[in-house]
Amino acid sequence: MMTDRPMIAVTPLMDYGRDSLWMLPGYMDAVLRAGGTPVMLPLTDDADAMEQCAERFDAFLFTGGPDVGPSVGDDAGAGAVDTGEPADGGNGATHADDRTSNGANGHTPNGADDDAGDDATGRSEALSPERDRMESRLLPAVMRLDKPILGICRGIQFINRYLGGTLWQDLPTEHPSGVEHHMNPPYDAFGHTVTLTPGTPLAGLFTGRREIAVNSYHHQAVRELAPGLRVMATAPDGVIEALWRPASRFLWAVQWHPEFLYKVDPRSQAIFDAFVAAARGE
């Protein structure tokens, strides 16, 4: 039986305490609701494997997780994908991190995989060099083929840093404000609002809205934009909450966590719907 469901590649989460790969169900379920078939990728930086994945899958979801390592982008940057666009000199980026200290998804909001000790503050210096290496292979391969990409939390930070942007390394100390960027559970609730940038795809998706409510769990965030990227939403304190790349068929990234909100917030599901629609070529 033939199906037109697009195959959506999902980057894996790593639990170093259990020496295992895992996945939050929200990433998978929201893609399924949108009409895609999600598949978690292996954790490897094998160039041939990443090229094969880039060719075989229809779209790519870059998930949350540990901090983006300091070496990401050093040997790559915008030139690796040939964006052909000058630097914006605009809003900075420090990847906002949603993870626990075991290197799992930044907030592990369900607590089940949160066994490493730093999640009470959310400020862990945990890194995942394996994910950095893997995604540094995968992202340029996918961009060269111009396949749809959606980044969430670590995803927005990784994309911006790899393409040549910068990150706030610790938002509370480097960009202090009264906005709660590290909310307590439950995570299927709203933490603050974001203002939509007029004329961007996200503003078009939410026609008639100037701002929307989002959840928030990160200690890093986008600081200076990479060349070719544009802002789609900002928090009340100016922190970049969403971006896109006009030169790509579909490259969106958000700082918040629609994978936790999709059941209670139609706008969160709408982001996955738009992503999977792009994978179908719509």
Side-chain angles (χ1 to χ4, degrees):
M1 176 181 175
M2 297 295 291
T3 177
D4 63 353
R5 295 179 67 93
M7 297 288 288
I8 311 298
V10 183
T11 58
L13 310 179
M14 179 67 188
D15 185 331
Y16 290 97
R18 293 184 172 91
D19 191 23
S20 64
L21 301 182
W22 67 289
M23 182 52 57
L24 284 164
Y27 291 119
M28 313 297 270
D29 293 345
V31 167
L32 284 167
R33 283 191 176 200
T37 300
V39 178
M40 188 175 79
L41 295 178
L43 185 64
T44 177
D45 63 353
D46 182 278
D48 289 341
M50 291 297 94
E51 289 287 346
Q52 182 184 43
C53 289
E55 292 173 2
R56 297 288 180 86
F57 287 91
D58 299 304
F60 297 80
L61 173 55
F62 285 73
T63 57
D67 282 0
V68 178
S71 64
V72 167
D74 286 355
D75 299 322
V81 192
D82 191 20
T83 64
E85 299 185 62
D88 293 336
N91 313 291
T94 303
H95 18 139
D97 158 89
D98 38 301
R99 126 219 39 43
T100 67
S101 57
N102 64 6
N105 182 297
H107 34 236
T108 313
N110 57 13
D113 295 279
D114 208 9
D115 55 2
D118 197 29
D119 195 53
T121 64
R123 297 192 179 94
S124 160
E125 303 314 314
L127 300 173
S128 178
E130 295 90 346
R131 279 195 63 180
D132 289 344
R133 291 193 298 268
M134 172 192 174
E135 292 173 356
S136 292
R137 294 278 193 186
L138 182 63
L139 180 62
V142 175
M143 290 184 68
R144 280 193 293 269
L145 295 172
D146 197 21
K147 292 190 175 181
I149 293 169
L150 175 63
I152 293 176
C153 201
R154 170 190 158 94
I156 189 174
Q157 299 150 17
F158 179 85
I159 290 167
N160 185 71
R161 182 68 191 102
Y162 181 85
L163 295 178
T166 63
L167 304 173
W168 298 110
Q169 296 301 331
D170 185 69
L171 202 56
T173 59
E174 296 180 348
H175 187 74
S177 78
V179 177
E180 180 54 82
H181 288 288
H182 192 272
M183 61 189 285
N184 293 319
Y187 299 104
D188 58 347
F190 299 119
H192 62 76
T193 61
V194 301
T195 299
L196 304 175
T197 304
T200 62
L202 203 59
L205 186 65
F206 306 136
T207 302
R209 300 297 298 261
R210 297 184 61 182
E211 64 179 30
I212 61 171
V214 300
N215 55 5
S216 190
Y217 192 103
H218 60 104
H219 80 270
Q220 297 179 310
V222 170
R223 184 173 185 173
E224 295 169 339
L225 282 178
L229 300 182
R230 300 290 182 269
V231 175
M232 290 203 293
T234 55
D237 58 1
V239 168
I240 295 170
E241 292 279 341
L243 56 76
W244 68 304
R245 183 171 183 262
S248 294
R249 179 156 61 102
F250 186 104
L251 193 164
W252 295 12
V254 299
Q255 183 57 72
W256 65 91
H257 291 277
E259 80 277 14
F260 291 112
L261 283 173
Y262 73 100
K263 288 183 179 180
V264 298
D265 176 37
R267 286 182 292 274
S268 292
Q269 182 61 50
I271 292 172
F272 288 100
D273 293 346
F275 172 52
V276 173
R280 285 195 295 264
E282 298 175 5

